[in-house]
Amino acid sequence: MHQSLLQSLRSVALADISLAGRVISANDGFYAVLQLAPGSVVDNVAPYISDPSFAELAAGAQRATPGQVVHQGLITFLGELGEPRSLLAKVCRRGDHLAMIAEHDVRENENLLAAVMDLNDELAEQQRALARANRQLTAEKAEQQRLLQELAAAQAHLVQSAQLVSVGQLAAGVAHEINNPISFVRANVATLGGYVQDLLAIIDAYAAGEALLARDSSLLARIHALRERCDLDFVRDDAPAVVADSAAGIARVARIVSDLKDFARIDESEWQVADLHAGLESTLNVASHELRQSAEVVRQYGDLPALHCCPGQLNHVFMNLLVNAIQSLDESGNGAGRIFLRTGRQGDQGWIEIEDNGRGIAPENLARIFEPFYTTRAIGRGTGLGLSSAWGIVRMHGGRIDVRSELGKGSAFRIWLPLARTTNE
């Protein structure tokens, strides 16, 4: 069995060779080194062995005693196709012939190692190329994300700008159309007040001559009946109050129209010095109907000097935040809704804060509330542009918006604006 195993072994070459070069016996591994079929007849092995040559090995064997090692080290074999292969071999004299054992092919291992190293280098280069491609892909993805965000912001800005212009034109037109009849109604009410006073004076003058009418009892009776029917005493007392209430109502309408005209300056881009307290008040007047139905407004104004700004645009910011607060109160179900308006200054910054005690904002939504088109409201209740537009306007003013919110307890939006003129366009 051992003989059979040695015969079929291909990783080790075994051979008995006569001093004349004829292969007496060999295993499959030896023939594989020579690139010959197992069992091939080889009468002269000299062409297959070099460095040292077979003649050198045979000469050494002739000088050696049986069993003595003739050569130990590398032997280069030339295969049938002329391909050199180096094996670590041991050659000794056995009787009148050579016995050879070759353990492994050094050059083949070197070639294999070199091939492996080349493959490793190629793999490393591919990995580097892949890493570069991944970095480039990551950079391109980040750039695409940035461009998408800019596109969304630009789209939101265009949509919001169009809305602002439309709202401004509509509000200005409505204010103008209302202002004209209000002007002459106010004038007519003032004139009517004068007329009422004159008429009452005439009536008093006629009343002074009532004694003269006593001669005509029927006429005096008709006058008394008419006086009772018209309730002249009540009219005399109530007419000035009615005129005064009408004048106050007209003044109130005129104030709303004036605030509406101020609020309508949304598309105004010219910077000017403005009182933001006045802007808050005009915005409150425009939203007064919704506020009366939803919340009590608590003013806590502090020291906030006039500053350079685009007042119409900031009014729009205030309106967006007020509308959000009103909607938050409506959705909370709390009966006692309150909205706090606070102002103040800190260093070179002024701030305006709008806080509500509504439903609040969930923590997972808080980071996205300023994204264009992002909204948590039901379809038809919001476009997702209000806070995005407010953020853009405040940022254009060189400021920022801080938010604090607790679910179920309410939200507070604080607008920070530089007291000196600064823009971030």
Side-chain angles (χ1 to χ4, degrees):
M1 184 178 69
H2 293 295
Q3 185 66 28
S4 175
L5 179 61
L6 292 173
Q7 181 65 35
S8 61
L9 193 63
R10 298 180 68 86
S11 59
V12 176
L14 301 171
D16 289 329
I17 306 172
S18 70
L19 297 179
R22 183 175 63 85
V23 176
I24 300 171
S25 65
N27 71 344
D28 293 349
F30 182 79
Y31 288 109
V33 171
L34 303 186
Q35 296 179 328
L36 297 174
S40 298
V41 176
V42 180
D43 292 329
N44 184 12
V45 79
Y48 297 97
I49 297 177
S50 67
D51 195 21
S53 65
F54 179 74
E56 293 173 322
L57 295 174
Q62 289 176 348
R63 296 190 298 269
T65 60
Q68 184 179 358
V69 175
V70 175
H71 175 80
Q72 185 169 352
L74 292 177
I75 295 179
T76 300
F77 290 82
L78 300 175
E80 185 69 18
L81 301 177
E83 179 183 353
R85 304 180 71 183
S86 297
L87 281 76
L88 183 62
K90 184 176 182 180
V91 181
C92 61
R93 179 172 178 174
R94 178 184 294 176
D96 59 352
H97 61 273
L98 297 176
M100 177 183 295
I101 179 171
E103 297 185 52
H104 56 81
D105 190 336
V106 176
R107 178 167 294 178
E108 184 176 357
N109 287 348
E110 291 176 350
N111 292 338
L112 181 59
L113 180 60
V116 171
M117 294 297 293
D118 290 341
L119 288 175
N120 285 338
D121 291 341
E122 183 178 352
L123 179 60
E125 179 58 32
Q126 289 178 352
Q127 289 176 338
R128 287 192 291 270
L130 181 60
R132 288 193 298 269
N134 285 336
R135 288 193 297 270
Q136 183 177 359
L137 181 61
T138 301
E140 290 177 353
K141 184 178 180 180
E143 179 65 13
Q144 289 177 354
Q145 187 67 25
R146 185 186 66 80
L147 291 176
L148 285 175
Q149 291 176 348
E150 289 185 357
L151 180 60
Q155 184 179 4
H157 179 71
L158 290 175
V159 172
Q160 195 66 35
S161 296
Q163 290 179 343
L164 296 181
V165 171
S166 299
V167 170
Q169 291 174 344
L170 176 62
V174 170
H176 177 73
E177 292 300 322
I178 294 176
N179 198 47
N180 286 336
I182 286 297
S183 297
F184 65 74
V185 169
R186 174 190 285 176
N188 289 344
V189 167
T191 303
L192 180 61
Y195 290 166
V196 168
Q197 294 297 327
D198 292 342
L199 289 174
L200 290 176
I202 293 173
I203 291 173
D204 289 340
Y206 278 110
E210 185 175 342
L212 299 176
L213 298 176
R215 300 172 184 175
D216 189 342
S217 58
S218 61
L219 176 60
L220 184 60
R222 288 199 304 273
I223 292 173
H224 283 171
L226 182 61
R227 183 170 182 169
E228 290 295 328
R229 183 169 62 83
C230 295
D231 198 357
L232 181 60
D233 294 335
F234 174 79
V235 171
R236 182 189 301 279
D237 294 335
D238 194 49
V242 170
V243 173
D245 289 344
S246 298
I250 295 299
R252 171 65 178 160
V253 174
R255 173 65 185 276
I256 293 175
V257 170
S258 176
D259 290 334
L260 187 61
K261 290 175 66 178
D262 289 339
F263 183 77
R265 297 182 298 170
I266 291 173
D267 59 341
E268 187 178 90
S269 59
E270 182 180 353
W271 285 66
Q272 57 187 279
V273 177
D275 180 4
L276 295 190
H277 288 148
L280 279 170
E281 290 301 319
S282 65
T283 305
L284 285 171
N285 282 332
V286 173
S288 60
H289 177 70
E290 293 293 333
L291 287 170
R292 280 197 300 269
Q293 293 181 339
S294 301
E296 173 193 0
V297 176
V298 180
R299 295 170 175 82
Q300 297 175 340
Y301 293 161
D303 177 23
L304 181 62
L307 51 79
H308 286 279
C309 64
C310 297
Q313 294 184 2
L314 290 181
N315 287 348
H316 180 68
V317 174
F318 302 152
M319 178 61 77
N320 280 336
L321 297 182
L322 281 172
V323 168
N324 273 10
I326 292 169
Q327 290 178 343
S328 179
L329 292 172
D330 292 341
E331 294 167 358
S332 69
N334 295 335
R338 302 181 80 186
I339 295 177
F340 297 87
L341 300 182
R342 304 184 182 98
T343 61
R345 63 181 297 174
Q346 182 175 327
D348 60 352
Q349 298 277 313
W351 55 269
I352 304 97
E353 184 173 271
I354 299 177
E355 182 179 4
D356 64 76
N357 61 344
R359 68 167 186 168
I361 303 171
E364 63 271 18
N365 298 329
L366 200 57
R368 301 189 59 192
I369 58 175
F370 293 112
E371 292 182 12
F373 305 106
Y374 178 77
T375 179
T376 59
R377 306 202 185 282
I379 297 175
R381 294 278 334 246
T383 63
L385 291 176
L387 289 179
S388 172
S389 171
W391 175 267
I393 291 172
V394 172
R395 184 175 179 275
M396 186 268 291
H397 281 76
R400 72 181 192 275
I401 302 178
D402 292 341
V403 186
R404 65 180 188 275
S405 182
E406 187 173 350
L407 201 59
K409 293 188 176 180
S411 304
F413 289 79
R414 177 169 289 196
I415 304 165
W416 291 90
L417 295 169
L419 298 179
R421 178 173 178 173
T422 305
T423 57
N424 287 330
E425 297 184 5

